[in-house]
Amino acid sequence: MAAQRNYAYACQYAEAHPIDDSTGLLSSSDLELVAEHGAGAWQFEASEENIGVSVRNGTEVEFTGGEQSLVANLQFPNQQRVYYYEVRLTHLAHGTNVAVGIAMHSYPPLRLAGWARNSVGYHTCDGSVYHSHPLDRIRNSRPAYSSDTLGVGWRPRSGKVFFAINGVIVSHVRTPWAQKRLYPIVSADGPCSLSVNMGTRAFVLSHANMRYWAVAPPEGQRPPPPLYHCASESLLLAASPSASSACSSHDVPPKYDEDHHTRFLTF
């Protein structure tokens, strides 16, 4: 009964929220965000429909129950051959199914990855990969457990997706979505804690580090803080009666005559 209700919800949501299946790269504003924050620009945030989902620092996600999914705020850049991210199962309660993968924008927030249109997701409960429907199981590997690290790779030029467990690639899937706007997605149907790594630290999959498969460099190039040439312009010193006279572009250390300087050095 619950499965039929969730399936009907996903269909109704898709009709009310048309999927963006266009091709394209990051917008100019998104590129500015990535330039400033690097891979840290990719973050997850619970929507109004998500119940019992909390996110810390944009990448530490905790689910408490019910089918829930979170889509990243930014798409894959679609400029290099491969993009990759990982999800560590920090805590996975018995019976909880976690699904990670890729999806298009406007994905139903109360549906697991791979169980609604325009998504592909690996499911930890049975190790299967689902493509846009709960009955469309196209690949099968091994289940995943607490403390495992799941990896998701996207090849925008060919439209292929691959999945890894603890640094070992376990399945490949071909999609018709070459150069489409795809987003990272994490989802679960029960209590669990996930830690998403978009490239701010080293991956478990070693050659993802050597081949620079992260969505962006670990750190961005943030602008330097403003220069303060005079302390009197500081808000912290504005109330000081001597602030206006304590600083000048022409101020220099006091001069001492030779005898005065010698007197300090004489013991």
Side-chain angles (χ1 to χ4, degrees), residues 36-162:
E36 182 176 354
H37 298 282
W42 275 260
Q43 297 188 352
F44 295 83
E45 183 177 354
S47 70
E48 294 181 355
E49 293 192 52
N50 291 121
I51 301 174
V53 181
S54 59
V55 183
R56 292 181 295 105
N57 301 323
T59 55
E60 305 294 323
V61 185
E62 183 173 353
F63 295 93
T64 58
E67 279 194 44
Q68 311 276 344
S69 65
L70 301 182
V71 177
N73 60 330
L74 298 179
Q75 68 169 79
F76 293 103
N78 285 353
Q79 290 182 307
Q80 63 191 39
R81 295 181 60 186
V82 184
Y83 292 99
Y84 180 79
Y85 75 96
E86 289 184 338
V87 181
R88 177 175 170 79
L89 306 177
T90 307
H91 168 71
L92 184 61
H94 179 72
T96 293
N97 183 23
V98 170
V100 300
I102 64 172
M104 293 185 185
H105 194 54
S106 298
Y107 190 80
L110 305 182
R111 197 61 168 155
L112 294 180
W115 281 4
R117 284 185 289 178
N118 301 303
S119 69
V120 172
Y122 164 86
H123 289 231
T124 61
C125 63
D126 59 1
S128 297
V129 177
Y130 293 86
H131 189 326
S132 301
H133 196 280
L135 299 181
D136 192 357
R137 185 173 64 178
I138 53 179
R139 289 290 184 274
N140 190 40
S141 58
R142 76 164 180 86
Y145 307 97
S146 187
S147 298
D148 282 344
T149 297
L150 311 178
V152 181
W154 166 239
R155 301 180 182 270
R157 298 178 186 177
S158 64
K160 292 181 179 180
V161 187
F162 65 87

